[in-house]
Amino acid sequence: MDDKPLNALKIPQKLFDEYQNLPGALLPLLHAVQGAIGYIPDDAVPEIAKNLNLSRAEVHGVISFYHYFRTSPPGRVRIQLCRAEACQAMDSASLEQHVKSSLNIDYHQTTADGTYSLEPVYCLGNCACTPSIMINDQIYGQVSPQSFDNILSDLTIVEKDQG
Amino acid sequence: MNKTVYIPKDFSASAMGVDKVLAEFYKEINKRQIEVEIIRTGSFGICWLEPLITIDVNGVRIAYGPVEESDVASLLDANILSGGEHPLKIGPVSDIDYIKNQERLIFHRAGFTDPLSISDYQQHGGFKGLQRALEIGSKAILDEVINSGLRGRGGAAFPTGIKWKTVYDTDVDQKFIVCNADEGDSGTFSDRMVMESDPYLLLEGMIIAGIAVGATMAYIYLRVEYPLSAEVLGNAVQLLYEKGMLGKNILGSDICFDVEIRIGAGAYICGEETSLLESLEGKRGEVRFKPPLPAIKGLFNKPTVVNNVVTLASVPVILEKGGAYYKDYGMGRSRGTLPFQLAGNIKQGGLVEKAFGLSLNEILYDFGGGSASGRPIRTVQVGGPLGAYIPESQFDTLLDYETFAQIGAMLGHGGIVVFDETVNMANMARYAMEFCAIESCGKCTPCRIGSTRGTEIIDKILSGENTELNLNLLDDLSTTMRDASLCAMGGLTPYPVMSAIKHFPEDFNI
């Protein structure tokens, strides 16, 4: 097996070593790969399959089953917008429209400059303070179109500060 | 003695800006050169007052909230460290009606303690259930849990003791405890609050379950949408290992018990127990046929107890105080307490732990204070996205599994999502079908195809196309999905749809 693409994407062999003998290792390994490089490249599938003694179809089947796993690079800022009922009850539909039009992308898309990815999520467990969004691992509650703009501009300032 | 400020570390408090408040406290304390200790606690579940901070004044916790970053300087100016007056002062936490009128058997520590402090946990009654469990052994534990009347809190309400006894009765070398922490239902957050505010409670319940059925290995299947729960629970597991309360020979006994946390990947269906087991085995989360039950052939084909977080968190108090004590709460066949969750368009949203048997009206208006928008409440959806929509005319319904079943509704995990009069019920019905189409595992046809066809039929009804014919077709389709789906996903999706049509026909142009 040619492991060149893996080297290019820097999936460390130690990940495979760590998970190889774990019962039901595929999900933890996929999490580790996505955690390390941000997504699970198609090129990694044969190597993952080989290391866990699975078929490529099995690995592909699992990656495609779960919404969280992605096969293309995410934007630097990953925005998850809750579409579930408790958020809808507080007019998340308006927020959704605003987010899509201000970023000029739809769900499952990344802005052309590679900054923002937008994904739907079905409940963030912040249902008493809705609508909710999560940006990377930070949750925000009672988000209005206006406060969404403020959150993004705060993020931009932080990013600039960090150079 | 140093003064102490207690600041919650909780996902919902974080959503409301507690991290900025914390940073501001550190800044101000530094600037003023005062000796103050900051302790991160869990949340009291009074979400509408978050960020809610408390100060210990002579052993009484005085609450201030909701606190914004810009309030911190004025709070310190007002000498809150000694309980000083301030417009945000609420008074003793335990005197807030919202808390005072609850019956907290499970959540009595939440908000008061540092979730990761083992000594805090013990000082507030922790590990007493485990201690007794170690003394009385498997059979007596099973008796207590069966006698308590505890039923699964994940939604299906299956008697927990019976499930445990089934696993206990199997004679094999390896059994598993699996904690279902894939809390995907909209309007629910009680599992999350257990994990973030009182993680040892869950772990204590799991160890007791292990002793009861003879399992030595446990998995917690935690949804990826809860990063803070993963952090807190992960630390809690680590600390219990260091204390010798997990691993080999727990507390010097001959009991061995290991716990591993596994993270889900955003599939709602993995909250269904057999799908969850498939996922734990590293596969697509496709639902299994039943039988065999997971209690007979579960994870890796071994007998497995699969219990929801709140179910397991209810066990320590049952062991500590006895099944009879727990059974004293509740009504009919719904025994004990349920942490209800008030969500959506509600003025005072949060967690309300009460014995079964209060009415929807009481929880919506006495605790919830009506809608957040101030407009009349039109409907509530109870029990997550698969629960029926209930009209105001039925708000006198008592919160009890059987009473809810009688009106064609479902209590489920106790999540109550509130909608005011601006809601369009046709949109909600359509969304229910759409959600099922997005989240169906695809194994059975009624769910996989039915949900897509259902969405299309509702679209036709909404555009006025052959309304009567399409309503009949939707009714037919719903019956097929309800009766022929493999699991509750396809089987229950018709409930929100048909209840919306039944109670709010005007929204469907009929």
Side-chain angles (χ1 to χ4, degrees):
Chain A
M1 185 78 58
D2 178 11
D3 64 356
K4 198 171 151 205
L6 291 183
N7 287 337
L9 290 157
K10 297 191 180 68
I11 295 179
Q13 180 61 37
K14 74 169 198 285
L15 280 188
F16 294 126
D17 299 340
E18 193 181 334
Y19 291 102
Q20 221 158 23
N21 297 317
L22 197 70
L26 184 52
L27 263 78
L29 177 60
L30 292 175
H31 271 297
V33 170
Q34 185 159 309
I37 59 173
Y39 69 110
I40 302 160
D42 291 340
D43 290 344
V45 172
E47 196 68 3
I48 292 168
K50 193 179 98 182
N51 275 278
L52 295 187
N53 199 21
L54 297 167
S55 71
R56 279 184 288 174
E58 283 170 309
V59 175
H60 173 77
V62 167
I63 294 169
S64 59
F65 184 87
Y66 294 95
H67 303 305
Y68 180 77
F69 295 132
R70 46 183 311 141
T71 52
S72 61
R76 276 183 296 117
V77 179
R78 184 179 181 195
I79 301 170
Q80 290 178 286
L81 199 148
C82 182
R83 284 195 69 206
E85 287 89 343
C87 286
Q88 290 185 46
M90 292 300 279
D91 197 21
S92 59
S94 297
L95 177 67
E96 177 180 311
Q97 250 178 356
H98 173 79
V99 171
K100 284 181 180 176
S101 65
S102 59
L103 297 178
N104 200 20
I105 48 174
D106 204 338
Y107 286 129
H108 310 291
Q109 292 182 346
T110 301
T111 50
D113 64 356
T115 305
Y116 302 106
S117 297
L118 181 62
E119 284 149 37
V121 64
Y122 297 89
C123 198
L124 292 165
N126 182 42
C127 312
C129 309
T130 57
S132 308
I133 61 170
M134 187 142 80
I135 299 186
N136 298 330
D137 267 356
Q138 177 62 51
I139 176 125
Y140 298 88
Q142 295 178 356
V143 182
S144 63
Q146 178 60 49
S147 67
F148 175 78
D149 291 346
N150 295 341
I151 293 165
L152 278 206
S153 62
D154 282 356
L155 278 179
T156 316
I157 291 164
V158 171
E159 285 207 330
K160 275 184 186 152
D161 282 354
Q162 288 168 349
Chain B
M1 200 178 80
N2 275 357
K3 300 281 188 181
T4 309
V5 180
Y6 296 89
I7 300 182
K9 183 172 177 173
D10 162 270
F11 210 40
S12 224
S14 182
M16 297 313 291
V18 79
D19 307 294
K20 284 183 177 173
V21 173
L22 177 75
E24 191 64 17
F25 261 105
Y26 278 124
K27 206 175 102 190
E28 284 293 326
I29 287 166
N30 246 335
K31 201 166 93 187
R32 293 164 194 241
Q33 300 280 309
I34 43 178
E35 296 278 315
V36 182
E37 190 183 7
I38 291 180
I39 291 181
R40 304 302 300 275
T41 61
S43 164
F44 294 100
I46 318 175
C47 300
W48 50 286
L49 289 178
E50 293 287 6
L52 181 76
I53 67 158
T54 54
I55 315 283
D56 187 331
V57 180
N58 303 322
V60 177
R61 291 281 279 277
I62 309 293
Y64 296 83
V67 177
E68 287 182 33
E69 197 182 358
S70 53
D71 298 320
V72 174
S74 74
L75 282 166
L76 288 169
D77 289 343
N79 200 19
I80 61 158
L81 298 174
S82 306
E85 296 305 317
H86 188 278
L88 295 180
K89 182 172 176 177
I90 297 163
V93 176
S94 306
D95 291 350
I96 302 174
D97 285 345
Y98 202 78
I99 293 291
K100 199 171 64 187
N101 296 331
Q102 298 195 25
E103 293 157 296
R104 291 198 160 186
L105 301 186
I106 308 168
F107 279 93
H108 62 96
R109 264 180 302 265
F112 287 101
T113 56
D114 170 355
L116 288 175
S117 162
I118 293 175
S119 63
D120 244 18
Y121 184 65
Q122 278 172 315
Q123 277 165 25
H124 289 79
F127 293 127
K128 284 188 181 155
L130 173 61
Q131 215 163 30
R132 179 148 176 269
L134 285 166
E135 285 160 22
I136 64 177
S138 295
K139 277 194 174 158
I141 300 173
L142 291 173
D143 284 343
E144 288 288 13
V145 176
I146 290 171
N147 289 338
S148 73
L150 176 65
R151 293 161 73 182
R153 298 294 189 236
F158 187 83
T160 305
I162 305 296
K163 190 185 272 186
W164 287 18
K165 179 138 197 320
T166 310
V167 175
Y168 170 82
D169 284 337
T170 56
D171 186 22
V172 296
D173 55 335
Q174 173 79 68
K175 302 171 186 179
F176 293 106
I177 306 293
V178 169
C179 169
N180 183 345
D182 195 51
E183 186 177 52
D185 287 347
S186 178
T188 65
F189 46 86
S190 58
D191 291 354
R192 176 181 66 68
M193 277 196 55
V194 169
M195 295 185 282
E196 292 171 5
S197 295
D198 208 9
Y200 296 128
L201 178 66
L202 169 61
L203 294 167
E204 184 181 352
M206 291 179 71
I207 301 170
I208 295 171
I211 299 170
V213 306
T216 55
M217 178 73 210
Y219 290 95
I220 299 171
Y221 187 88
L222 173 62
R223 61 200 304 258
V224 70
E225 292 85 353
Y226 285 179
L228 183 60
S229 296
E231 179 197 319
V232 178
L233 204 53
N235 287 333
V237 168
Q238 177 80 31
L239 287 166
L240 282 194
Y241 269 109
E242 286 168 16
K243 271 266 175 184
M245 301 191 71
L246 282 176
K248 290 196 183 352
N249 304 106
I250 290 174
L251 295 173
S253 69
D254 56 359
I255 305 284
C256 300
F257 196 70
D258 286 297
V259 175
E260 195 182 314
I261 299 168
R262 291 284 176 94
I263 305 295
Y268 174 76
I269 193 60
C270 289
E272 195 282 334
E273 61 176 1
T274 62
S275 159
L276 184 155
L277 294 174
E278 289 288 299
S279 187
L280 269 179
E281 291 182 7
K283 302 173 191 159
R284 293 163 66 87
E286 285 179 4
V287 173
R288 292 179 185 172
F289 291 101
K290 283 197 269 193
L293 295 168
I296 309 285
K297 284 189 173 185
L299 187 64
F300 301 116
N301 249 345
K302 301 291 185 186
T304 304
V305 169
V306 186
N307 278 153
N308 162 261
V309 172
V310 171
T311 311
L312 289 161
S314 302
V315 168
V317 67
I318 291 169
L319 265 292
E320 182 196 341
K321 298 190 172 167
Y325 172 86
Y326 187 80
K327 197 177 187 172
D328 241 16
Y329 292 84
M331 69 170 277
R333 288 174 51 218
S334 308
R335 310 313 311 178
T337 61
L338 186 68
F340 297 98
Q341 301 122 85
L342 276 170
N345 198 329
I346 187 86
K347 192 172 165 197
Q348 299 177 171
L351 183 129
V352 178
E353 183 180 348
K354 282 291 278 183
F356 292 92
L358 77 163
S359 71
L360 264 174
N361 264 323
E362 286 173 84
I363 204 157
L364 290 173
Y365 296 102
D366 296 352
F367 284 96
S371 73
S373 60
R375 286 186 281 264
I377 297 176
R378 188 175 186 213
T379 185
V380 296
Q381 186 182 34
V382 184
L386 308 176
Y389 285 100
I390 299 169
E392 198 192 356
S393 60
Q394 293 181 332
F395 284 180
D396 55 352
T397 307
L398 301 182
L399 293 156
D400 155 64
Y401 293 121
E402 277 65 40
T403 310
F404 260 61
Q406 276 165 21
I407 63 160
M410 174 179 80
L411 197 49
H413 192 41
I416 301 171
V417 178
V418 181
F419 296 83
D420 74 8
E421 61 183 8
T422 60
V423 65
N424 179 323
M425 295 309 294
N427 285 347
M428 299 319 295
R430 188 191 185 281
Y431 172 80
M433 281 291 186
E434 185 195 359
F435 180 68
C436 183
I438 294 168
E439 296 295 336
S440 171
C441 82
K443 183 156 176 167
C444 74
T445 316
C447 176
R448 184 185 68 245
I449 307 291
S451 52
T452 299
R453 292 292 97 89
T455 315
E456 293 164 1
I457 296 169
I458 295 174
D459 280 340
K460 285 179 187 165
I461 293 169
L462 290 180
S463 65
E465 190 182 325
N466 291 330
T467 307
E468 198 176 330
L469 184 94
N470 277 311
L471 277 169
N472 283 337
L473 193 58
L474 186 60
D475 195 47
D476 225 34
L477 176 74
S478 289
T479 307
T480 304
M481 286 178 72
R482 191 191 66 202
D483 295 344
S485 293
L486 202 49
C487 79
M489 174 102 226
L492 295 180
T493 292
Y495 283 79
V497 177
M498 298 315 284
S499 61
I501 295 175
K502 182 178 168 193
H503 299 302
F504 307 97
E506 63 274 21
D507 286 17
F508 295 82
N509 309 317
I510 39 179

